[in-house]
Amino acid sequence: MELGAHDLLWLLLPLAAASGWWVARLDHRLRPAKAARDFPSAYFKGLNFLLNEQPDKAIEVFIKVLEVDSETVETHLALGNLFRRRGEVERAIRIHQNLIARPTLDKEQRSQALLELGQDYLKAGLFDRAENLFLELAEYRLHNQQALRFLMQIYQQEKEWEQAIATCRKLARATGTAFDDVIAQYYCELAEQAVTAKDVNGAHGFIKQALAADRQCVRASILLGRLEAMQGRHREAIKAWKRIEEQDAHYLGEVADQMAASFQALGDEDGLYDFLQAALQAHGGVAMMLALAAVIKQRQGIGAAEEFVVDWLHREPSVHGLQYLIDLNLAEADLSVRDDLVLLRDIIGELIEQQRGYICRQCGFKGKSLHWQCPSCKRWNAMKPFFGGALD
Ligand SMILES: [Zn+2]
């Protein structure tokens, strides 16, 4: 990537102004004669190196210029920033480290350079160094909010959730904005770690804290239900999953199969039937329809299930419903039509695969699995399930 003309112009203007070149021409008494004489030529030499794609030589020149005149700090910050944006992190680090070493910097200039250097380290994957710089800035309340945001980014990437929570709380205090839903997600991450480590009590504790931070946290309800079901406490599991209906019914489909299994473990077929029917009536949704069709098939046979699906398809046409209908017919089909039905079902299956997934409401990213943090825009709680193009 080359420096564009626009970039160069942008660098040129403030530096020329800051150099006092013009001022010195108007009034020689305002500036030391040496800086006025040397600065522009050194500066244009640096620009020339940049234009000729010799950035290291350009950096040498600019660093020398800085020694002559500390008013060029802004331009060095801009230059370092430019290198980082171009992915030339080592060069950015060199410029920013050199800046910080200047004894003439004032407090604001120094903290700005530290903030930039921290971002260089972050981009270079040197998380420990970046963390130390941002912690220092946050401690002295210099660029506090930005430093805290970068720290959160580091702790998320490193999966250090306790520290992420503490940082998020500080940021909430500093900005006066609540980040309760994000804090709840961090607690859910801790709960999942505890489940993996077979620490059931720990997991319960974290889920409780997630729900204390954000009553609307669907993920906490999903996790709690799974944890209870894992321990054979199916009644409690169902209670936890039922909360999703009030939190965000879009996610009910995520637990439809698990709920059915827990109702069945309790021998409560009626309870399952009643719940699914009420949920389908209230919120619609393919996943609930399919779960209910399976129950009807078990209780009243294929004919009743078929009738139910056909009726539903009339109101809400969907490829999922169609596929299920074909499945039902396949069980009783004559050999003569069987192959055709199998082919049709496979084609529809392919269609479904293409259409089913999760979409980020923030940036539009689509994925096949549910991420609580969007892999693209990194926003939490933005991915929603969708079927056939529409949100389910
Ligand atoms: Zn996104």
Side-chain angles (χ1 to χ4, degrees):
M1 206 168 105
E2 287 180 18
L3 279 168
H6 180 264
D7 287 331
L8 287 172
L9 189 66
W10 176 61
L11 278 172
L12 180 95
L13 292 175
L15 190 50
S19 76
W21 187 34
W22 309 108
V23 176
R25 284 186 156 212
L26 291 173
D27 187 350
H28 286 273
R29 285 165 304 176
L30 283 180
R31 308 195 57 79
K34 188 176 176 294
R37 194 175 60 245
D38 293 350
F39 185 78
S41 67
Y43 168 62
F44 285 114
K45 205 168 134 194
L47 267 186
N48 201 33
F49 281 130
L50 267 185
L51 281 167
N52 290 314
E53 285 295 301
Q54 291 178 284
D56 289 320
K57 283 189 179 164
I59 290 172
E60 287 302 328
V61 171
F62 283 121
I63 283 173
K64 273 189 195 143
V65 172
L66 184 76
E67 280 167 357
V68 176
D69 188 346
S70 69
E71 284 171 27
T72 57
V73 170
E74 286 296 320
T75 302
H76 281 251
L77 286 171
L79 192 65
N81 214 322
L82 189 65
F83 278 121
R84 187 174 66 238
R85 281 210 326 260
R86 282 160 48 115
E88 297 171 45
V89 184
E90 275 177 33
R91 292 194 175 113
I93 289 175
R94 227 173 107 212
I95 287 176
H96 291 137
Q97 278 179 337
N98 186 273
L99 258 182
I100 289 161
R102 301 294 109 197
T104 48
L105 290 194
D106 64 29
K107 196 174 158 192
E108 171 56 32
Q109 288 170 331
R110 201 181 126 75
S111 64
Q112 183 64 43
L114 284 172
L115 189 70
E116 295 295 332
L117 185 61
Q119 291 173 72
D120 299 338
Y121 287 149
L122 197 61
K123 189 146 184 184
L126 301 166
F127 292 139
D128 285 353
R129 288 193 196 177
E131 183 189 355
N132 285 335
L133 286 189
F134 293 136
L135 281 173
E136 191 185 320
L137 285 170
E139 195 185 337
Y140 293 110
R141 308 220 171 269
L142 298 163
H143 300 280
N144 191 28
Q145 294 184 15
Q146 280 164 292
L148 290 172
R149 281 182 203 278
F150 286 125
L151 280 170
M152 263 171 69
Q153 213 174 306
I154 292 171
Y155 296 139
Q156 278 180 186
Q157 210 145 340
E158 300 279 273
K159 299 192 185 303
E160 289 169 11
W161 304 113
E162 302 268 18
Q163 277 163 296
I165 291 167
T167 309
C168 207
R169 292 209 159 118
K170 278 185 203 158
L171 186 63
R173 275 197 298 275
T175 58
T177 316
F179 293 100
D180 295 340
D181 61 326
V182 178
I183 288 175
Q185 288 289 335
Y186 292 157
Y187 276 118
C188 287
E189 292 285 346
L190 283 167
E192 283 192 0
Q193 281 180 352
V195 170
T196 309
K198 305 215 185 315
D199 174 12
V200 174
N201 287 338
H204 267 290
F206 289 131
I207 291 169
K208 214 171 146 187
Q209 280 179 289
L211 286 167
D214 177 15
R215 310 283 306 160
Q216 298 305 111
C217 183
V218 171
R219 185 184 183 184
S221 298
I222 293 177
L223 278 173
L224 182 58
R226 279 185 197 156
L227 200 61
E228 300 283 18
M230 247 168 58
Q231 295 171 275
R233 292 152 51 94
H234 295 288
R235 216 171 288 285
E236 287 77 5
I238 290 165
K239 197 177 145 201
W241 285 322
K242 276 185 173 172
R243 280 184 72 166
I244 298 169
E245 210 179 340
E246 289 122 49
Q247 291 170 326
D248 187 343
H250 283 114
Y251 291 95
L252 263 184
E254 296 298 309
V255 294
D257 290 347
Q258 295 163 74
M259 274 185 104
S262 277
F263 270 115
Q264 272 152 4
L266 291 169
D268 188 6
E269 297 280 340
D270 287 343
L272 176 60
Y273 183 85
D274 292 346
F275 169 75
L276 288 173
Q277 203 169 40
L280 187 65
Q281 208 146 36
H283 316 290
V286 177
M288 302 313 275
M289 183 280 289
L290 292 178
L292 185 55
V295 177
I296 293 172
K297 184 181 154 194
Q298 210 164 19
R299 284 158 65 111
Q300 295 159 265
I302 287 178
E306 244 181 61
E307 208 173 299
F308 165 73
V309 175
V310 169
D311 183 48
W312 193 82
L313 275 173
H314 277 301
R315 283 179 287 129
E316 280 186 58
S318 105
V319 280
H320 292 79
L322 199 56
Q323 189 191 39
Y324 189 76
L325 195 62
I326 293 170
D327 272 339
L328 288 175
N329 276 283
L330 257 178
E332 293 178 322
D334 290 338
L335 275 178
S336 58
V337 295
R338 216 184 144 75
D339 284 351
D340 290 345
L341 276 180
V342 169
L343 183 67
L344 191 59
R345 188 193 58 179
D346 290 349
I347 292 169
I348 291 172
E350 196 79 17
L351 265 178
I352 287 172
E353 264 319 298
Q354 287 168 18
Q355 290 186 347
R356 183 162 58 184
Y358 300 86
I359 186 164
C360 173
R361 287 192 162 177
Q362 181 72 17
C363 73
F365 172 86
K366 278 184 184 176
K368 286 288 170 201
S369 48
L370 175 56
H371 295 278
W372 294 102
Q373 184 185 24
C374 171
S376 179
C377 71
K378 307 290 176 201
R379 193 182 172 105
W380 291 91
N381 289 315
M383 299 280 288
K384 301 268 176 181
F386 77 93
F387 284 89
L391 284 169
D392 182 43

